[in-house]
């Protein structure tokens, strides 16, 4: 440890020999390392090699026991061995050496053949003075020496251990050495690689770090020190530099657990957590690390990066906030959200959509969504979607349709959407089709109920208007019905007043007057009957009726009015017409009205014919006049109480045909 401390403090190479392993069979190791300095010149780390020198140590121990046994020993070892005779210059410095003995490994370690019996400068004329001077000091002082250096002419580096042997009269230097060219090249390569790595790491925008196999971080690039606002020459293990001193307290436990898990399993490390910068502000970082394995698959080192994702994290959190606001807005409005992805052909949706459509999956194929709609709506919705996603002329997407649930219930849905596009011209295509849906079942039902109420109100209003018209018609009918018998009474009264006192004519007039007075009484009774009809209490007095008598009575009642207009009133009675079952008062009223109306609407000089005929098993009464007639369309409703045509009549003749079964 003293040698290590001395190397760190002085910057000199670290050289040490020590035993490792059990006391029963220890191994000797030779370690040599060089101190590497940072940009400020301070020691930063050690880089070196460790070599197994058990054979050499064993040889040295053997040499100390006996000189006679060393030849067999050195002939059997893998390290090079030679015994040298030194030549000195006038200043007493060694300047050449003579190979008295070499072992078999000498040629393999040096590449020199037949060196025994030759001076080194005979073999290598431009030999570095370092070597003969080194061995000269060993011979002069008797102190062994351990050294590493290069023989440039041979292109090799050697690790040598020189010690004095022989007698006082003929001292020699024995050298035990190894060719360490490969190790030196490896060290150089490592240093160059390390330098390139550091240079590359310092130019990267991320924080770069490295750790030993046990997870101890021993390197940060300059970005880390800039981030924490600390000098980059500080020891990475210092408390004010260690990464866990800057991780947010809420994130440190999970970051540490994940790092421990990676160290135990050898799996890559990847996690996001917050790190405090030198100004006390926290940043989100994406931290990744990969292990480096040796030939046996063991982790020997970790290399990692910390990428500042604070802006991305803020954007992600903002997206999440907006998504939550959208979700709350959709929930408040009872809306569902959907997204048709043209790449996959699938529809993605939220919980609101699931509830409205009655599904549990998070996504469905577009065809499956269409299949959930009412069969009568599928084609219409598909056409609307195609029109809304047409790149050259997209149409607005706003449509109502029905959704079929598995239990047979039907929900009305209102959908609105919009397509998004990329590219221009022929390359323009839609990349997303998104929108909302709302369950409008209650509104549709409410609209239907409201429409039903409107229809009911219209019907009630129409009924009221019809009742009002019927009232007017009733009053018109009433006046008409009252005037008809009065006209007969007035007419015969005038005839009787202006005629002679012919007893027959007087008797006939009085009979007509009496009959019409009775008819007027009957009209009043009919008014009461109409009230009974409205209340559903009308009664018919059905008895055998002589229809011929009723027809003649009706003709006689309106005869004076016909004579006054010069209308020929003709009666044709079939003698085979038999009695029928009916209410004589009602039939009399019917015949009277028909004949009276025929006379009323027949122009002066016209003709009215009343016919009674037997047809099969019933009798038929017809009233035919030569008046203008009634529109055929009105004939279909003429049986309505006091119905009257509102347009000019087109038919020239109207025939009223009433049939009664006998």
């Amino acid at each position: 440890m003293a040698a290590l401390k001395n190397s760190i403090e002085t910057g000199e190479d670290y050289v040490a020999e020590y035993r490792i392993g059990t006391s029963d069979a220890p191994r000797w190791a030779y370690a040599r390392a060089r101190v590497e300095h940072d940009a400020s010149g301070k020691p930063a780390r050690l880089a070196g090699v460790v070599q197994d020198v058990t054979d050499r140590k064993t040889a040295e121990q053997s040499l100390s026991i006996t000189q006679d046994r060393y030849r067999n020993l050195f002939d059997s070892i893998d390290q090079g061995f030679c015994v040298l005779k030194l030549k000195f210059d006038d200043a007493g410095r060694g300047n050449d050496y003579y190979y008295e003995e070499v072992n078999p490994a000498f040629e393999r370690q040096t590449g020199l053949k037949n060196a025994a019996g030759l001076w080194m400068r005979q073999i290598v004329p431009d030999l570095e003075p370092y070597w003969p001077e080194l061995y000269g000091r060993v011979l002069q002082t008797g102190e062994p020496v351990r050294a590493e250096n290069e023989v440039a002419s041979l292109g090799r580096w050697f690790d040598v251990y020189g010690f004095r042997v022989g007698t006082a009269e003929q001292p020699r230097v024995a050298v035990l050495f190894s060719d360490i060219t490969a190790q030196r090249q490896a060290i150089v390569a490592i240093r160059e690689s390390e330098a390139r790595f550091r240079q590359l790491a310092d130019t990267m925008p991320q924080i770069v770090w490295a750790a030993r196999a046990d997870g101890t971080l021993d390197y940060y690039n300059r970005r880390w020190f800039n981030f924490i606002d600390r000098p980059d020459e500080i020891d990475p293990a210092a408390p004010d530099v260690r990464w866990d001193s800057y991780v947010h307290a809420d994130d440190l436990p999970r970051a540490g657990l994940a790092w421990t898990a990676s160290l135990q399993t050898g799996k890559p490390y990847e996690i996001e957590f917050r790190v405090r910068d030198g100004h006390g502000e926290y940043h989100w970082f994406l931290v990744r690390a990969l292990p480096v394995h040796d030939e046996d698959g063991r982790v020997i080192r970790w290399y990692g990066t910390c990428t500042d994702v604070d802006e991305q994290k803020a954007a992600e959190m903002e997206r999440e906030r907006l998504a939550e606001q959208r979700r709350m807005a959709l929930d408040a409005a009872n809306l569902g959200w959907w997204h048709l992805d043209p790449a996959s052909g699938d529809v993605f949706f939220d919980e609101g959509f699931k509830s409205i459509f009655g599904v549990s999956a998070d996504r469905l194929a577009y065809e499956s969504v269409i299949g959930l709609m009412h069969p009568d709506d599928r084609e219409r919705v598909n056409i609307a979607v195609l029109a809304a996603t047409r790149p050259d002329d997209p149409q607005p997407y706003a449509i109502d349709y029905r959704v079929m649930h598995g239990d047979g219930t039907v929900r009305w849905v209102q959908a609105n959407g919009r397509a998004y596009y990329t590219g221009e011209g022929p390359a323009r295509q839609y990349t997303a089709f998104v929108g909302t849906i709302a369950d409008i079942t209650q509104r549709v039902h409410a609209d239907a109920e409201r429409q039903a109420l409107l229809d009911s109100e219209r019907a009630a209003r129409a009924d009221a208007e019809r009742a009002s018209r019927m009232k007017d018609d009733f009053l018109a009918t009433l006046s008409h019905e009252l005037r008809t018998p009065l006209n007969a009474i007035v007419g015969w009264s005038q005839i009787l007043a202006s005629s002679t006192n012919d007893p027959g004519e007087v008797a006939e007039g009085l009979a007509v007057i009496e009959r019409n007075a009775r008819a007027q009484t009957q009209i009043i009774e009919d008014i009461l009957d109409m009230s009974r009809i409205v209340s559903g209490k009308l009664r018919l007095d059905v008895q055998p009726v002589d229809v011929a008598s009723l027809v003649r009575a009706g003709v006689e009642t309106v005869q004076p009015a016909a004579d006054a207009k010069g209308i020929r009133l003709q009666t044709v009675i079939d003698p085979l017409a038999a009695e029928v079952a009916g209410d004589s008062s009602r039939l009399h009223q019917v015949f009277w009205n028909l004949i009276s109306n025929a006379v009323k609407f027949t122009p002066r000089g016209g003709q009215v014919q009343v016919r009674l005929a037997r047809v099969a098993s019933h009798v038929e009464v017809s009233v035919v006049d030569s008046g203008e007639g009634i529109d055929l369309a009105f004939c279909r409703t003429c049986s309505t109480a006091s119905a009257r045509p509102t347009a000019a009549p087109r038919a020239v003749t109207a025939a009223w045909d009433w049939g009664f079964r006998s």
Side-chain angles (χ1 to χ4, degrees):
M1 295 301 294
L4 178 61
K5 182 178 180 181
N6 179 69
S7 296
I8 295 175
E9 291 176 350
T10 63
E12 296 180 355
D13 288 355
Y14 167 73
V15 179
E17 290 184 355
Y18 48 86
R19 284 172 291 184
I20 58 176
T22 63
S23 58
D24 295 336
R27 303 291 296 179
W28 277 90
Y30 167 68
R32 185 177 185 87
R34 178 163 295 176
V35 179
E36 295 182 355
H37 300 79
D38 58 19
S40 64
K42 294 182 179 181
R45 62 188 297 173
L46 289 172
V49 295
V50 176
Q51 183 178 3
D52 186 349
V53 295
T54 304
D55 290 343
R56 193 196 71 210
K57 294 298 291 185
T58 302
E60 292 174 357
Q61 293 171 0
S62 299
L63 283 173
S64 64
I65 296 173
T66 175
Q67 286 285 70
D68 296 333
R69 299 168 57 188
Y70 83 91
R71 294 184 183 277
N72 292 333
L73 175 63
F74 289 115
D75 286 347
S76 64
I77 62 175
D78 292 332
Q79 289 178 292
F81 176 76
C82 60
V83 177
L84 306 179
K85 180 173 67 174
L86 270 296
K87 180 190 292 186
F88 295 89
D89 60 16
D90 295 338
R93 295 189 298 266
N95 64 1
D96 200 357
Y97 48 87
Y98 177 83
Y99 288 106
E100 288 190 345
E101 297 181 40
V102 297
N103 74 338
F106 178 90
E107 182 178 337
R108 183 171 64 253
Q109 294 287 343
T110 63
L112 300 177
K113 297 180 179 181
N114 303 317
L118 296 177
W119 289 92
M120 183 59 175
R121 290 195 181 279
Q122 289 180 284
I123 305 172
V124 182
D126 54 351
L127 177 69
E128 293 84 354
Y130 169 84
W131 292 107
E133 291 177 359
L134 175 68
Y135 299 142
R137 288 195 299 272
V138 172
L139 188 66
Q140 291 171 344
T141 64
E143 295 181 0
V145 68
R146 184 68 180 268
E148 285 186 8
N149 214 326
E150 181 184 19
V151 179
S153 300
L154 299 180
R156 301 192 186 209
W157 277 79
F158 294 98
D159 172 26
V160 301
Y161 178 73
F163 52 95
R164 189 169 64 182
V165 296
T167 64
E169 295 77 14
Q170 293 183 336
R172 299 288 186 267
V173 174
V175 180
L176 188 66
F177 65 94
S178 297
D179 183 358
I180 60 170
T181 304
Q183 293 92 316
R184 292 293 301 188
Q185 290 175 346
I187 292 175
V188 172
I190 290 173
R191 289 175 178 172
E192 292 177 351
S193 175
E194 188 77 13
R196 288 194 300 269
F197 168 75
R198 290 173 180 272
Q199 184 179 12
L200 176 62
D202 285 339
T203 61
M204 292 180 65
Q206 294 97 341
I207 295 172
V208 180
W209 51 273
R212 295 196 290 266
D214 61 358
T216 302
L217 273 71
D218 58 6
Y219 170 75
Y220 297 102
N221 71 339
R222 194 165 296 157
R223 293 283 178 180
W224 169 248
F225 295 98
N226 292 340
F227 179 77
I228 63 175
D229 196 21
R230 301 291 293 164
D232 57 7
E233 66 270 11
I234 297 178
D235 184 359
D240 58 346
V241 175
R242 286 172 53 90
W243 68 278
D244 49 2
S245 301
Y246 293 87
V247 177
H248 195 286
D250 294 342
D251 301 338
L252 184 58
R254 63 183 181 86
L257 289 174
W259 180 230
T260 300
S262 292
L263 293 176
Q264 293 174 347
T265 62
K267 293 182 179 179
Y269 178 69
E270 181 170 338
I271 192 172
E272 290 183 355
F273 52 74
R274 289 163 290 181
V275 182
R276 187 182 73 253
D277 64 16
H279 305 288
E281 300 290 335
Y282 281 95
H283 298 248
W284 277 97
F285 278 88
L286 170 61
V287 183
R288 293 191 178 105
L290 293 174
V292 177
H293 301 84
D294 62 10
E295 296 178 353
D296 298 326
R298 291 172 299 189
V299 175
I300 58 174
R301 197 152 180 79
W302 290 85
Y303 289 97
T305 60
C306 300
T307 304
D308 191 332
V309 293
D310 202 59
E311 293 185 0
Q312 297 93 313
K313 199 70 176 181
E316 179 182 337
M317 296 173 67
E318 178 66 12
R319 286 195 300 271
E320 292 177 355
R321 185 185 67 81
L322 293 176
E324 179 64 16
Q325 288 183 345
R326 181 188 66 190
R327 185 193 64 78
M328 294 175 63
L330 292 176
D331 290 345
N334 292 323
L335 296 175
W337 173 87
W338 52 265
H339 167 208
L340 172 58
D341 178 24
S344 64
D346 288 347
V347 180
F348 300 83
F349 36 76
D350 65 355
E351 295 297 327
F353 185 99
K354 293 181 186 180
S355 176
I356 294 173
F357 266 72
V359 296
S360 58
D362 294 327
R363 60 189 288 183
L364 287 173
Y366 171 73
E367 294 76 10
S368 299
V369 175
I370 293 294
L372 295 173
M373 300 177 188
H374 193 283
D376 295 343
D377 298 338
R378 294 170 185 170
E379 183 177 359
R380 181 169 57 87
V381 173
N382 190 54
I383 291 175
V385 171
L386 293 176
T389 56
R390 190 167 54 230
D392 56 341
D393 183 25
Q395 298 299 310
Y397 182 74
I399 190 171
D400 297 348
Y401 54 83
R402 289 160 291 179
V403 173
M404 305 290 293
H405 282 201
D407 59 1
T409 58
V410 177
R411 310 296 296 177
W412 273 95
V413 173
Q414 182 182 68
N416 293 275
R418 177 184 177 184
Y420 293 86
Y421 300 87
T422 58
E424 297 294 337
R428 178 178 168 87
Q429 58 183 354
Y430 90 95
T431 57
F433 185 38
V434 299
T436 61
I437 61 170
D439 188 338
I440 60 171
T441 304
Q442 293 184 352
R443 191 181 77 187
V444 170
H445 291 169
D447 290 345
E449 293 176 0
R450 184 166 55 252
Q451 186 62 40
L453 290 175
L454 290 174
D455 294 343
S456 176
E457 187 275 335
R458 291 192 188 98
R461 185 169 62 248
D463 290 343
E465 292 173 351
R466 185 165 55 254
S468 177
R469 288 195 302 270
M470 290 178 65
K471 180 186 71 174
D472 296 339
D473 292 343
F474 170 73
L475 293 176
T477 301
L478 178 61
S479 65
H480 172 72
E481 295 294 335
L482 290 175
R483 282 197 304 269
T484 298
L486 286 176
N487 289 337
I489 293 173
V490 171
W492 275 102
S493 296
Q494 291 174 349
I495 291 174
L496 292 177
S498 63
S499 63
T500 60
N501 292 328
D502 182 359
E505 189 175 11
V506 171
E508 181 181 0
L510 293 175
V512 171
I513 291 172
E514 179 184 5
R515 186 166 59 251
N516 281 279
R518 292 180 183 279
Q520 195 166 28
T521 301
Q522 184 62 45
I523 290 173
I524 296 173
E525 183 66 27
D526 289 344
I527 294 174
L528 296 176
D529 287 343
M530 186 171 293
S531 176
R532 296 186 186 101
I533 292 173
V534 173
S535 61
K537 298 179 180 180
L538 177 66
R539 291 174 300 186
L540 296 177
D541 185 12
V542 179
Q543 297 179 4
V545 177
D546 183 1
V547 180
S549 298
L550 292 177
V551 171
R552 290 190 185 94
V555 171
E556 291 174 357
T557 300
V558 299
Q559 185 67 57
D563 292 342
K565 293 181 66 176
I567 294 174
R568 181 184 177 189
L569 185 56
Q570 181 183 10
T571 304
V572 180
I573 305 296
D574 186 349
L576 298 178
E579 292 183 342
V580 297
D583 188 324
S584 61
S585 298
R586 303 287 181 262
L587 292 175
H588 173 70
Q589 183 181 0
V590 170
F591 296 153
W592 181 20
N593 282 331
L594 287 174
I595 298 171
S596 176
N597 284 334
V599 171
K600 179 180 179 180
F601 294 105
T602 298
R604 184 178 295 276
Q607 177 179 339
V608 176
Q609 184 183 70
V610 182
R611 293 196 300 266
L612 172 63
R614 181 182 180 89
V615 180
S617 61
H618 63 277
V619 295
E620 186 175 272
V621 177
S622 301
V623 179
V624 181
D625 63 67
S626 59
E628 293 181 351
I630 302 174
D631 195 314
L632 293 178
F634 182 72
C635 288
R636 299 184 179 94
T637 61
C638 64
S639 60
T640 303
S642 301
R644 297 180 179 181
T646 56
R650 292 181 294 168
V652 296
T653 302
W656 298 84
D657 187 353
W658 292 74
F660 304 92
R661 293 186 180 277
S662 57

